[in-house]
């Protein structure tokens, strides 16, 4: 079965590369693998990701004023998108910031997809849903540059590449409070539990707080990570 196949692969490997210490500890616990086999390599973005020539490209293309809440992600159950939308609608009259969601739908349950599309269609003045834009494009970069904060209250992430991308532009990030995300961002994020009321509080917190510390240049750039990966392979 799938468990025995994974068990065989993990125990037969010389080195196991994972993208967080939390992931390592979970695998060790479930599959009883020697902890010394593991190497931790964090997720990364291109060094030049936050270089942007056409800063207003996204806002002029879609007719959206700067200062919105932004979510760049697939939309599904794990990403907790429906609770995010409900929290945003409950707070909109106070902050008056629209929610922009960029991504593609992949809900596992048809009813959840219908609920998502229904919330969007009934609130077109408060929410904009833009189906997936090209990764690393100026449109995506411009969307980050002009947002107030990036919001991704997922039940679990390691750590959500879009969170790193938003942070590289010095933006506040609101993230679901799970161990791998804490490991990556420490005090550089606004953490939220997963209920509608908790997300509401996080949205308000982002308005009151100053931008968080940008740690991308120290930890999550391709030039730094690829050297680590190379040294791991060379060690074999």
């Amino acid at each position: 079965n799938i468990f025995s196949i994974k068990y065989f692969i993990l125990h037969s490997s010389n080195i196991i590369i994972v993208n967080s210490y939390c992931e390592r500890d979970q695998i060790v616990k479930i599959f009883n693998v020697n902890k010394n086999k593991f190497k931790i390599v964090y997720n990364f973005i291109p060094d030049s990701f936050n270089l942007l020539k056409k800063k207003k490209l996204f806002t002029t293309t879609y007719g959206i004023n700067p200062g919105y809440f932004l979510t760049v992600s697939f939309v599904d159950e794990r990403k907790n998108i429906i609770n995010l939308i409900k929290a945003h609608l409950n707070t909109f009259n106070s902050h008056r910031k629209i929610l922009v969601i960029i991504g593609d739908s992949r809900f596992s349950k048809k009813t959840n997809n219908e609920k998502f599309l229904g919330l969007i269609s009934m609130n077109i003045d408060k929410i904009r849903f833009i189906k997936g834009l090209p990764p690393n494009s100026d449109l995506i970069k411009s969307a980050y540059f002009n947002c107030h904060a990036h919001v991704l209250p997922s039940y679990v992430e390691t750590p959500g590449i879009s969170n790193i991308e938003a942070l590289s532009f010095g933006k506040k990030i609101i993230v679901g409070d799970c161990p791998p995300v804490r490991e990556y961002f420490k005090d550089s994020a606004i953490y939220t539990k997963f209920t509608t009321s908790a997300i509401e509080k996080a949205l308000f917190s982002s308005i009151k707080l100053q931008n968080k510390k940008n740690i991308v240049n120290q930890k999550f750039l391709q030039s730094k990570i690829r050297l680590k990966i190379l040294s791991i392979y060379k060690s074999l």
Side-chain angles (χ1 to χ4, degrees):
N1 58 37
I2 191 64
F3 181 88
S4 62
I5 292 170
K6 289 181 179 179
Y7 184 93
F8 171 78
I9 292 171
L10 291 167
H11 281 265
S12 301
S13 299
N14 297 98
I15 290 176
I16 303 166
I17 302 175
V18 294
N19 61 11
S20 69
Y21 287 93
C22 294
E23 185 179 26
R24 179 200 66 183
D25 294 344
Q26 185 181 46
I27 293 173
V28 168
K29 181 178 179 180
I30 295 172
F31 294 97
N32 193 29
V33 183
N34 184 344
K35 186 179 285 190
N36 294 328
K37 281 190 172 192
F38 289 83
K39 302 291 184 183
I40 285 71
V41 176
Y42 283 156
N43 286 335
F44 59 85
I45 61 173
D47 291 35
S48 60
F49 185 83
N50 66 352
L51 298 181
L52 176 62
K53 293 181 179 179
K54 299 178 181 179
K55 293 181 170 59
K56 296 181 180 180
L57 180 62
F58 179 80
T59 52
T60 55
T61 299
Y62 291 98
I64 298 172
N65 292 326
Y68 45 85
F69 287 109
L70 174 67
T71 297
V72 178
S73 172
F74 282 107
V75 291
D76 61 12
E77 289 83 0
R78 179 171 67 84
K79 304 291 186 177
N80 202 17
I81 295 296
I82 291 176
N83 276 351
L84 166 59
I85 291 174
K86 289 178 179 178
H88 175 262
L89 293 175
N90 289 344
T91 58
F92 178 79
N93 287 337
S94 296
H95 56 66
R96 308 299 295 180
K97 296 180 181 298
I98 71 166
L99 173 64
V100 176
I101 301 173
I102 300 175
D104 288 303
S105 176
R106 62 174 187 187
F107 285 99
S108 60
K109 293 184 179 179
K110 183 179 178 181
T111 53
N112 286 334
N113 188 58
E114 291 171 347
K115 185 183 294 185
F116 167 74
L117 293 176
L119 287 168
I120 298 296
S121 63
M122 290 187 295
N123 296 281
I124 56 175
D125 59 326
K126 302 177 183 71
I127 306 170
R128 291 288 300 273
F129 176 46
I130 300 169
K131 291 194 175 181
L133 298 178
N136 300 327
S137 66
D138 279 354
L139 267 176
I140 283 280
K141 295 178 182 182
S142 177
Y144 286 121
F145 179 84
N146 289 284
C147 77
H148 161 72
H150 185 261
V151 193
L152 193 62
S154 309
Y155 290 104
V156 65
E157 288 285 359
T158 55
I161 294 292
S162 58
N163 288 323
I164 300 177
E165 291 175 342
L167 197 61
S168 75
F169 281 98
K171 298 299 177 176
K172 304 169 192 176
I173 56 173
I174 301 172
V175 295
D177 192 356
C178 64
V181 176
R182 285 261 181 192
E183 179 184 326
Y184 270 71
F185 298 127
K186 295 184 171 56
D187 62 351
S188 295
I190 300 169
Y191 296 93
T192 179
K193 295 301 182 184
F194 311 110
T195 63
T196 300
S197 59
I199 299 170
E200 289 173 17
K201 291 178 183 177
L203 294 176
F204 282 127
S205 293
S206 75
I207 296 170
K208 297 174 183 177
L209 295 178
Q210 297 295 318
N211 285 356
K212 292 286 188 173
K213 181 181 178 183
N214 185 349
I215 56 172
V216 173
N217 288 344
Q218 291 117 22
K219 300 178 71 174
F220 307 126
L221 292 184
Q222 183 178 11
S223 59
K224 297 178 184 296
I225 301 298
R226 68 182 180 185
L227 293 176
K228 187 170 185 178
I229 296 172
L230 180 61
S231 67
I232 292 170
Y233 276 92
K234 283 185 173 181
S235 72
L236 294 171

